[in-house]
Amino acid sequence: MVTVQDVRLDDGRVLRAYDSGADDAAQLTLAWHHGSPQTGAPLEPVAAAAEARGIRLVSYARPGYSGSTTHPGRDVASAADDVIAVADALGIGRFASMGASGGGPHALAGAARHPDRVIGAVVLAGIAPYTEAFDWFDGMRAPGALGAARQGRAARARFAETEEFDPEQFLPVDLAALEGRWASLGADAVRAGELGPDGLIDDDVAFASPWGFELAEVVAPVLVVQGEGDRVVPRRHAAWQLAHLPNATLWMRLDDGHVSVLDTVPDAMDWLLARLG
């Protein structure tokens, strides 16, 4: 049974955390970093895959999402200390991280800043740090939000006032996944959106700004999983991560997009167990 706990930080902020529970038989503890936007509550397919493998699953809502205090000016690196604070509150020592979409960069942050605690990571359809070494926006079906984020938070907030979802971001296999096995993801994204735009705005500004760490600092093993046809985070982002992470493996999924690629979550958990369990 998943428990919910509000973790109070030294700076007065609160993070809403979720925990499947301590188990002496657990081979691994895994911190799930949610996408943008999501509430941080465990998604049913992720929770089911973890339970089937005896993995303790924890997650938390990033600042500005569902019960977690906003953190003005946060960068991607700030997630490193936040996830460690959650782990400390739950009595967790060493653990792995897994992040999907907007959660991918945040999963890497802990491994970069706290290598003694975050011992491996998986990035599923995760964006790369902003760079001018290649066209960072090329292949994005709807780059407007991140383009506004490059101009700062005020510009991204103005964009949010008229922002509309473009369903063409998703391949037919993505839409089928959202209607079936990943319906919980779509429903959770709707709930997150109904609670306000602050978390998503701050995520986008963090992605499009200096992250606060370099990929080269992530020495733990990292699995990068990418859908060839992804129109939200194009394949070049995965190639950039593979080239700059010291200990990375790439799974390129030729028939997948941004959502359907999440079907690899059980296999990615097995990958972590084989190396860390």
Side-chain angles (χ1 to χ4, degrees):
M1 185 179 77
V2 174
T3 60
V4 183
Q5 179 175 332
D6 285 344
V7 176
R8 185 166 297 278
L9 309 183
D10 290 342
D11 62 8
R13 291 186 294 120
V14 169
L15 296 174
R16 179 153 297 170
Y18 302 83
D19 181 13
S20 68
D23 183 346
D24 291 340
Q27 301 182 69
L28 182 71
T29 296
L30 179 64
W32 172 262
H33 293 262
H34 65 80
S36 310
Q38 302 270 229
T39 67
L43 299 173
E44 190 279 330
V46 178
E51 182 178 8
R53 287 158 176 78
I55 293 174
R56 180 181 182 180
L57 182 69
V58 299
S59 63
Y60 75 98
R62 285 193 296 279
Y65 287 112
S66 186
S68 290
T69 313
T70 56
H71 187 188
R74 64 177 167 94
D75 60 9
V76 173
S78 67
D81 290 341
D82 283 355
V83 74
I84 292 299
V86 169
D88 287 347
L90 298 176
I92 296 167
R94 287 151 55 91
F95 58 97
S97 286
M98 182 180 291
S101 187
H106 297 96
L108 294 175
R113 288 292 186 86
H114 298 283
D116 58 325
R117 300 286 296 277
V118 183
I119 55 177
V122 175
V123 176
L124 302 133
I127 199 164
Y130 180 80
T131 177
E132 295 184 352
F134 69 95
D135 186 347
W136 196 70
F137 297 99
D138 184 42
M140 293 184 187
R141 169 71 189 191
L146 288 169
R150 282 288 300 157
Q151 307 306 312
R153 194 185 194 284
R156 178 61 181 88
R158 286 193 299 272
F159 184 87
E161 294 173 0
T162 58
E163 185 175 4
E164 294 185 3
F165 174 72
D166 181 359
E168 292 298 318
Q169 294 179 87
F170 292 148
L171 302 180
V173 289
D174 293 324
L175 296 174
L178 286 170
E179 292 171 0
R181 56 196 177 276
W182 288 97
S184 59
L185 184 152
D188 189 73
V190 170
R191 285 194 294 273
E194 291 172 346
L195 294 170
D198 283 339
L200 178 57
I201 290 170
D202 290 338
D203 270 357
D204 281 350
V205 174
F207 300 146
S209 304
W211 283 10
F213 67 94
E214 301 295 331
L215 294 182
E217 297 175 56
V218 183
V219 297
V222 177
L223 174 62
V224 178
V225 187
Q226 176 70 30
E228 172 79 19
D230 196 329
R231 299 173 183 170
V232 179
V233 177
R235 58 169 292 171
R236 186 66 185 272
H237 287 250
W240 184 261
Q241 292 175 76
L242 180 66
H244 290 82
L245 289 163
N247 190 10
T249 299
L250 173 64
W251 289 354
M252 183 63 72
R253 303 279 296 181
L254 299 183
D255 297 324
D256 281 327
H258 194 66
V259 179
S260 65
V261 76
L262 299 181
D263 286 341
T264 62
V265 163
D267 292 332
M269 288 180 179
D270 289 340
W271 185 91
L272 286 170
L273 285 169
R275 285 153 182 79
L276 309 174

